């Protein structure tokens, strides 16, 4: 009888300890969620760096908590600038240098799962990329910088090609953002986290 009592006592202690750990984890997750709730803006960073293409981006992440207090909706907005050299082909009689700007956003859900971890689930169908055709500058002669009317006539085609390139790069970037690790908020104004082996720093807006 005494052995049964001791076994039951150990089981009760084990269940109680698990409950305490569970409540502690929930409290820590809710605390982190409360700390990162809001809008954060990052520093300029590289989006593309390859032969003929250099691109930078500035990203803004808006976390909004829902009734769970541990997560909610997220919107990631990105401003992109790109310099792209298009080689001559059957459409382009000579190489063209393209300078363009784009803006993009993607929506999804987020949840704090520990005191320093956040999971993101972004919706590919929500992703939008916009390139302003009026802000696209074409230089038909890369060396002299001269712009030719024949190249301007192909501008819609060139804008579409640049948009496709930016979209592909952003898709790769956005959907690598599944797990934010080592998440820390300093003084309520600086958000730091890791994705893989890359460190990020954002400031509260």
């Amino acid at each position: 009888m005494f052995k049964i009592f001791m076994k039951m006592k150990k089981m009760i202690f084990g269940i109680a300890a698990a409950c305490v750990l569970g409540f502690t984890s929930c409290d820590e997750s809710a605390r982190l969620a409360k700390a990162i709730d809001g809008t954060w803006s990052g520093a300029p960073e590289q989006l593309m760096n390859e032969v003929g293409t250099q691109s930078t981006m500035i990203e803004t992440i808006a976390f909004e908590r829902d009734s769970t207090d541990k997560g909610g909706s997220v919107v990631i907005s990105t401003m992109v600038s790109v310099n792209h050299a298009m080689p001559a082909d059957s459409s382009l009689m000579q190489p063209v240098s393209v300078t363009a700007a784009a803006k993009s956003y993607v929506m999804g859900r987020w949840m704090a799962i520990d005191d320093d971890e956040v999971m993101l689930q972004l919706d590919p169908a929500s992703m939008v990329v916009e390139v302003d055709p009026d802000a696209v500058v074409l230089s038909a002669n890369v060396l002299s910088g001269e712009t030719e009317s024949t190249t301007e006539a192909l501008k819609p085609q060139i804008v579409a090609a640049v948009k496709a390139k930016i979209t592909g790069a952003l898709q790769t970037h956005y959907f690598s953002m599944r797990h934010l690790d080592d998440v820390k908020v300093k003084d309520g104004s600086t958000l730091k986290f890791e994705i893989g082996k890359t460190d990020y720093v954002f400031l509260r807006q």
Side-chain angles (χ1 to χ4, degrees):
M1 186 73 179
F2 178 75
K3 290 182 179 180
I4 295 175
F5 172 76
M6 291 302 295
K7 286 182 179 179
M8 290 181 65
K9 187 176 180 181
K10 288 180 180 179
M11 288 177 62
I12 292 170
F13 279 140
I15 293 171
C19 289
V20 169
L21 289 173
F23 286 133
T24 301
S25 177
C26 287
D27 288 345
E28 290 174 345
S29 299
R31 192 177 300 116
L32 176 61
K34 182 178 179 180
I36 68 173
D37 184 29
T39 302
W40 305 83
S41 183
E45 59 181 288
Q46 193 173 84
L47 176 62
M48 292 181 281
N49 185 21
E50 55 193 58
V51 176
T53 304
Q54 289 76 42
S55 178
T56 58
M57 65 179 179
I58 298 176
E59 204 155 56
T60 299
I61 305 178
F63 295 101
E64 183 176 342
R65 282 190 301 163
D66 58 20
S67 59
T68 67
D69 282 339
K70 293 188 295 182
S73 60
V74 62
V75 179
I76 303 177
S77 306
T78 310
M79 302 297 293
V80 180
S81 61
V82 60
N83 291 305
H84 177 55
M86 300 185 68
D89 58 18
S90 58
S91 300
L92 296 172
M93 301 309 294
Q94 56 184 315
V96 174
S97 175
V98 184
T99 301
K103 58 183 179 180
S104 173
Y105 67 83
V106 64
M107 298 181 290
R109 305 286 300 173
W110 68 279
M111 178 166 287
I113 58 172
D114 205 341
D115 64 340
D116 67 348
E117 293 181 73
V118 173
M119 298 298 293
L120 292 182
Q121 186 175 15
L122 301 177
D123 179 9
S126 72
M127 181 177 169
V128 173
V129 178
E130 298 176 346
V131 177
D132 182 2
D134 295 332
V136 174
V137 178
L138 307 178
S139 296
N141 188 317
V142 177
L143 295 178
S144 68
E146 294 177 357
T147 301
E148 297 185 0
S149 58
T150 52
T151 304
E152 287 290 326
L154 294 172
K155 194 171 186 177
Q157 176 183 332
I158 294 171
V159 169
V162 171
K163 179 179 178 179
K165 194 167 189 67
I166 294 172
T167 299
L170 284 173
Q171 284 175 333
T172 300
H173 170 68
Y174 284 149
F175 300 111
S176 70
M177 299 176 70
R178 296 187 178 92
H179 184 195
L180 312 187
D181 200 8
D182 198 20
V183 182
K184 292 181 176 63
V185 177
K186 184 176 180 181
D187 300 327
S189 60
T190 304
L191 172 65
K192 297 182 178 181
F193 58 86
E194 296 176 1
I195 298 177
K197 296 182 179 180
T198 304
D199 296 324
Y200 295 88
V201 179
F202 283 67
L203 299 178
R204 188 181 290 279
Q205 298 301 291

